[in-house]
Each structure stands twice: as structure tokens, then as C-alpha cells.
Amino acid sequence: MELNSPDMNDWETVIGLEVHAELATKTKMFSSALNSFGGKPNSNTDPVSLGLPGSLPVLNEKAVELAIRVGLALNCEVQKSVFARKNYFYPDMPKAYQISQFDLPINKEGWLELPDGRRIGIERAHLEEDTGKITHVGGGGRIHEASYSLIDYNRSGVPLIEIVGAPDLRSPDDARDYVSELRSILVTIGASDGKMEEGSLRVDCNVSVRKKGTEEFGTRCEIKNINSLRSLGRAIEYEAKRQIEIIESGQKIEQQTRHWDEAEGRTHKLRSKEEAFDYRYFPEPDLVSVEPSEEWIREISGSLPPLPRERRHLLAEAIGVEPTETSLIVQRDLDTFALEAISSNANKNRVLVHLENNLADGVGELTPEAFASLTVMETNGELTSTQTKTVLAELVEAGGDPQEVAKSHGFESMDNSELEEIVDRIISENSDDWLAFINGDETERKKKSGFFVGLIMKETNGQADGKIVNQILNTKSKN
Amino acid sequence: MEATEIAEKVSSGEISARTVVEQHIEIINEIESDVNAFNLVTAEKALIDADEIDSKIASGETLGPLAGVPISIKDNLCTRGIETTCSSKILEGWKPPYDATVIEKLKEAGAVIIGKTNLDEFAMGSSTENSAFGPTRNPHNLECVPGGSSGGSAAAVAAGFSPLALGSDTGGSIRQPAALCGVVGVKPTYGRVSRYGLVAFASSLDQVGPFANTVSDAALTLEVISGHDPRDSTSIPEKPLDISGFLDQGVEGMRIGVIEELSGKGLGGISQDVISRVEDAIKVLSNAGADVEPASVPASIYGLSAYYVIAPAEASSNLARYDGIRFGPRTEAATTAETMTATRTKGFGDEVKRRIMLGTYALSAGYYDAYYGKSQRVRTLIMNDFAKAYEKFDLLISPTAPTTAFPLGDKTADPMQMYLQDVCTIPSNLAGHPAMSVPFGFGADGMPVGIQILAPAMAEREMFQAAKILESESGNGIE
């Protein structure tokens, strides 16, 4: 189906995400088999993770602790929880039921703040176990044409936290921001490595559309198989268009589960609501309820490192800007560095500019103190912005003192009288252009000013400060 | 010879473990073909184990309390490297890669496993006729059933194949066959004995327990297999039981209630033979100094109905893993789903299928509350009624089974008639309380009758004291 472009402006997309994150425990959720990615197939298994008859689950305390960390970081209420069996047949599910949580999840009702300050609701974040992994051999890897399938149960029983977000997101960008922020929180608190490419972070996406200005939600479709932030955005965009087209052609949306096909750039129907499984949830009789003590929760809460949101706010306050402006630096984990530089009297604005634009790959050998002095040299006019960048790059590469590095490059700030002499000489050598500069209109003045600055920079081998050159030119033109 | 006597003589070197095992194998060879108590006799392995015990004794090592004692194991307990079938075709040929915790404990105590005993498929039944490998017969009368589902274990002890056996009891599967075969059978408090390695039927009800010819042998075996197991989350964090030293403390001053609802006055179907033996038991206990009075556990009459929702519901989930993908025989078909269906259709017997269907229905969306939810509330009522009764009484008694052993084929056509066999035993499973059956004379047909002693959670010791009193006056030749 080739999609037309309906008038998207009349419509609002409503998105709610379900994120599964593998918890960074040493062993599995219910047994002592290792939780590690990439081992020889079926090497990290035991009777429990293979669902052998007679085997019984025993809850991994570390998984509970990490789940509580996630709950606290997402401002959830941590409560007494009960495991339930979710029954369905599939070869990657060795017991033919998944141990999950149903009506009593460990965490409920929280929120996550996007970098722009909007709060997105978290309905619940519950514990469950992962399934094995199936590889279809032959037939291009599709189940229907495959000649046989191989199952690797290394992933079976790996602890997961499923974070169910409220339908508070409104665009593909929102969705990507949400996942980035969530990922960053999970990594910061040590709950998960957050690697989407290895499948430790997986996203299911509920999408519906409604006319702008209306309150009622449209019928939603759930999209599965989203493996990157890029496909998340593409899938939402495609799905919203598909739904708008259907509604605009006078038809109704059918509630469906759909599959994102990355290569084709479209979603396919997997099943309709009527075909949905009846999971026959019931309390897992092999496990007892989880009742973390107040004391334990307090202890965990006290051990949480500063979260991205707090770090954005802290840095923004130190610099004197809005928290949105510091989100990139926090994402790059450079906020502590920034704060140290600022406490060494760095120029706050230059700190922000350099960390955002010139230190995307990290600070290397650069120390906060050296960085602070460099910004001061720059703002004092000792170095031009071009020179500053050169010095900065070298400090990142090899460390050292910015004064000395500048010196080694011959970046010594020019005496203003020396500079004025050069300016006078250039003016006298280009008197026609100078007259045009003096008498020209705005456009002409701009053009000529650029011309003179260029010549002067060339003459001074770039050591002159562009700002000061402009000042001298302006003063002289008014005399 | 009693187990306690064997262990003593083997440990002191008076008799070799090999001789003991050989004597029992001889009895097996003589009459096992009539009884069919075993799915597998592990004679060769038993002799090797016996030799090992003898050489340990020769080298002066101290052995456990069951040194050299042959024991039969219900074939739903996992034994490493030894076929464990649950008397089902679906597990034919499956050799577990691990021992159940109770098996480890028995081995540590020096017991010698002599074979795996027959049962109703997956422990579903009360006559051992629902076995894929043919019915077991009652050693007291080969035309009659041994009861079930642990009929093989009860028959093995009654026939003298081994002085001890292990069974599992979900709704009476140890106590009812013990009564019908004239041996002692114990269902401990839920959580007293580890379920790790017991192939699950209904996880919230299943409990492993011993069969023996004498109360003291049963006590000794229970002591060996009890105690906390970190591999079973429902295992009670308590040390192994200590009963043997208290067996002769009697019932002087104990308050014992006779459950009216289960002793002929409430439910129909309890035979006059059985009722009169209960009356005799009351006299014996009164003569021994107990204060015996009628007791009421009103909700117990709903036990059977609640049980036949809860147990099948859990079973439908527990038995879902038998899909032919990872273990057991597979019936190949065109697709994965069809392969699973074909495997299960061929592998399960009728009673198992009936209960899977019952349980699946009870857990389905829209029916859950009316069936599973309501049954759980009945379960709570039964617990409350027991709690009330135990405010007045230390122990309760009732018949174990409504009748003596019935002829093979008598009840196979009508599942309800078969289910009624467990009407007296089910309430203890629903409450999680300990209960045991003690042989107490015979009916007019010459077949054994068992008296059930019920106790509050954790009160096994008092229960055994009363059992010892009944045993001494049971008139079955054991003084």
C-alpha cells in the first residue's frame, strides 16, 4: 500500500510505549544460570530455565532490588507484589507460561520527565522473565518458509522489567525522547545496560490518532519488533498515516497487533483483537508474594545516584539557563566535568558552547581546570575562537596547560597598537573599498567589513581577534 | 523387617546392605508380575549402591539413619539418570539430569532406591488405573485396586517389596492408597518437605510424604526428607522434623475431634464398615486418655468441589510444558502448533486431558472469577473452619477413604464416583495441614481400613503420637 499524504495538521498522534529492559543481574530471574549475552547456544541453562519437569523458580533478590531502583527512579509507588503465570504455547517459552506480574505489579503510578520538562505518566513497571530465542533456518529466516528452527534458551529466564507508559506522547520525537530518557535513567541507576542493538532494551508501541482538539482516544494498534530509535520514529510515522488514511476514507480502525518491517518501512497485521490470546493469568503458586520492607526501600532510595533530570536542573542552575539546554551535556555524561570547570571559574556560556559543539566525543585528557582557564583566555581575547578550538583539540588529545599549548602554536594575543598599525596599512592599500565601507548602505558595509577582516586575519596569520578587528574598523569609519 | 531395624543391623555390620537388597529383590521377582507396583525396578543399581554402603561400613564410616534400607520411589519424583515417566507416554524415556531434593536426602541417609513405582498418570486418579503402563493391584486382593494416585508405592510397601516408599499427595494420593493397602501414609504440612524435583500436578496442593508399615518407620523417613530447601520458595524455613523421640508420649489429655461432616453424618457414601472402625478408634483414643468429642468443619463438604477447580486449573498450566519440543517423544506434524497438538493428543491419557480441559476453562477470561476465584474463597473458608476447630481440639480424626479397596474397573466409567474417594482427604490439602492414614483393622470384606488423623500446620509430632496409639490397638498384627 502506497500511502498518500493526508493533511497531518488536522490530526494528533497519541502514543504509549511499553519498554522491556533486561535487568543487569549476574544470574537469571529464578535460577543460578548465568545472565549473559552472546554465549554458546544453550550454555547458560539449567533445569529451571529449560522448564524441566520438577524444577521450581526461586526469585533472584538482585532482580527485585533493581526493579525497585527503576520504580524509585520513575517516581513510582513500590508495593507488595504477586507473580502470576501468563499461559501461552510457543517453543521459545519452555514452561508454556511466562512468570510475570499481573494485578499487583511491584511498581505503580509514576512519571518520567522529558528534557523539555513535560511529565509522561508511568502506569506500572513490573518484573517478568524473558523467553528463549528462535532462529528460523532456510526460507530467508521467515517462519512459514523455514525448513527448521533452532532455539537458544540462554535468554530464557533473564529478568526483565516491563515499563508501561501512559498514552501521553504526541509525536515520533516525543517517543524517541522518552526512550532516550528512560534508557539514560536505567543505565545511570545500573538497572540495565540499555543496549537496544543487543535486545536488552525493547520497545512495543501503541499508536492511535484523533482529530486535533478532541478528547476521546482513537482505537489503537500495537506495533512490535521495533529495534532502534530510528525505527521507532519511522514506525509511528507510518502507522499514524495509515490510520488517518483509513479514517479519512470513511472506514474504522480495527484494534490490532502489528509488526514493523524495517526493510519495507511499513507495518503488517499480526492479529486482531478477536484473535488475541487469552493468557489465563493466575497467581504463580510456586512463588510467594514480594513484600519489600520500608527499610529496604529507603536503603535503595538512598543509594540511587543523581538522575538525569536532577543533573539537568543542577547544571542549568549553575550556568543560568533552562534545563532543556543542558540535556545534551547530561546525556553525554559531561555534566560533572562542566560543574567542576565552572567551580574553577570557567566562563559558563563558553562551557555550554564547547561541551555541546566541540566535545561531542568526550573530554579525553582535558581537565576541568585547563578547560576553565581556556574559556577565560578565550573571553579575555587572548585567543580567537578558531585558536581556542585548536588548543581545545590538542588538550583533549594530549592534555597539558592551555597557556603553553597556545604559546607552542604561536597564539599570542596581539597588542592593540600593533593591530591598529596593520589595519591602517590595509586601509591605505585598499582606499576604494574603504570608501565603499564608509559610505555604503547596510549590505555594502557588511560585505566590505568581511573583506577587511579577511585581509587583516590573513596578514596576522589569524592571531587577531575578529571582534576587536571589527571594533577598530567601526571606530575608524566614524572618525 | 522394619526400616529402623534394617538400618541398625546394617550399620552395626550384623547384616550387609547387599543381603537386604537381595532379599527384597527376591520378593519382587516372586510377585511383582501380579502386583505391577513398579514402572521400573532398579535392581542392578540398587546392588551397586548397597555394595557401596557395605564398603563404607567396612571402612568405619558412620552412615545415615536409613543405611541400607530399600525404598521405592513414586515415578513422579526426579531421579538423576533414571527414567521418570509419571506413568505417562508423554514422558516415556525421559531421564532427568538431576535428583529431587528428597532423593538427595534419602541417598545421604543411606537409603537404597529399589525402583520407580506406578501411579495414576501425573498423579491424577484414586485407583492407579489411569496409568499408561497398566494398573497396579492391591496385594491384599489382586482383584482390587490399591487406591491412588500413589498406588504403586502403597502396594510396594504392603507387598514387602521395600519397607519404605515415597509418594505425593495432592488430594489424598498418599493417604487413600495407604488406607486401601493397609499401610501408614503421611502427608506433611505444606512446605515441610521440598517439592523440588517432584513433577508438579497442582503446585499449591502437592506434598511429598512417606509410606511405611509402621508409624515409627514413617516418622523416621519423614525426618530424613523434611527441612528447608532453598530451591523451593514454598518450603518452610524450619529444621528437619524430630518425631521419633516423642512417639511414645501418647495422647493423655489431648483433645481430639471427630469431624462429623466427614464421618458419615454429613456426606453419603461412607460405608458402615468404615464408620464402625472410626467408632473403634474413638474408643481406643479415649481409653488412652484423650478427650474425644464430635467436631465440625462445616466448609469441608465443599472441599471436593473447590479442589476440582483449583487442582485442574494449576494442572492445566503445569502440564502445558509437555509439548514435545525439548524432551519426551514428539509426534511430528506440519507446523509447530500442530506438532504440539499431535504430541499432546497422543501422549496424554483421558483423565489428564479431562482435567486440562476443566482447568483451562476455569481460568478463561470471563469464567475466572466464577470458578477459580470462588474456589479460592471456599479454600479460605475451609482454612477458617479448621482454625476454629483447632481452637477446641489438638487433633481431628475421620475416615481416610469412604470405602475399602474396590474391584478394578468399578469406578472407571464414572469420574465423579472416583473423585468421591478423596472426599475426606482433600480438605487437609486445601488447608495445607498435615494428615496421615493409619491402618486400623479390616472391613467385612477382609480389606484394610485406614483412620485419618489431621493436625494443625506444623503439628506433625502430636499427629504421630496419636497414630502410634491407634497402631498399637489396630488389630492388624503389628503390636
Side-chain angles (χ1 to χ4, degrees), chain B residues 6 44 94 241 276:
Chain B
I6 292 171
E44 219 169 293
W94 182 62
L241 273 162
S276 51

Short mmCIF file of all heavy atoms in Angstrom, two decimals, chain B residues 6 44 94 241 276:
data_model
loop_
_atom_site.label_atom_id
_atom_site.label_comp_id
_atom_site.label_asym_id
_atom_site.label_seq_id
_atom_site.Cartn_x
_atom_site.Cartn_y
_atom_site.Cartn_z
N ILE B 6 16.49 -52.62 60.04
CA ILE B 6 17.46 -52.84 58.96
C ILE B 6 18.65 -51.88 59.11
O ILE B 6 19.81 -52.29 59.07
CB ILE B 6 16.81 -52.63 57.56
CG1 ILE B 6 15.78 -53.74 57.28
CG2 ILE B 6 17.88 -52.61 56.46
CD1 ILE B 6 14.94 -53.50 56.04
N GLU B 44 19.82 -53.62 39.57
CA GLU B 44 21.27 -53.59 39.36
C GLU B 44 21.91 -52.41 40.10
O GLU B 44 22.89 -52.56 40.82
CB GLU B 44 21.50 -53.43 37.85
CG GLU B 44 22.66 -54.25 37.33
CD GLU B 44 22.64 -54.25 35.81
OE1 GLU B 44 21.70 -54.84 35.22
OE2 GLU B 44 23.55 -53.63 35.24
N TRP B 94 12.18 -40.35 29.39
CA TRP B 94 12.85 -39.14 29.87
C TRP B 94 13.67 -39.44 31.13
O TRP B 94 13.14 -39.97 32.11
CB TRP B 94 11.85 -38.03 30.17
CG TRP B 94 12.52 -36.77 30.61
CD1 TRP B 94 13.40 -36.02 29.87
CD2 TRP B 94 12.43 -36.13 31.89
NE1 TRP B 94 13.84 -34.95 30.62
CE2 TRP B 94 13.26 -34.98 31.85
CE3 TRP B 94 11.72 -36.41 33.06
CZ2 TRP B 94 13.40 -34.13 32.92
CZ3 TRP B 94 11.87 -35.55 34.13
CH2 TRP B 94 12.70 -34.42 34.07
N LEU B 241 12.28 -32.33 60.84
CA LEU B 241 11.43 -32.73 61.97
C LEU B 241 12.15 -33.65 62.93
O LEU B 241 13.06 -34.39 62.54
CB LEU B 241 10.20 -33.46 61.43
CG LEU B 241 9.02 -32.59 61.04
CD1 LEU B 241 8.08 -33.38 60.15
CD2 LEU B 241 8.30 -32.10 62.29
N SER B 276 -17.81 -47.94 61.48
CA SER B 276 -17.63 -48.65 62.75
C SER B 276 -16.17 -48.72 63.17
O SER B 276 -15.86 -48.72 64.37
CB SER B 276 -18.28 -50.04 62.71
OG SER B 276 -17.86 -50.75 61.59
#
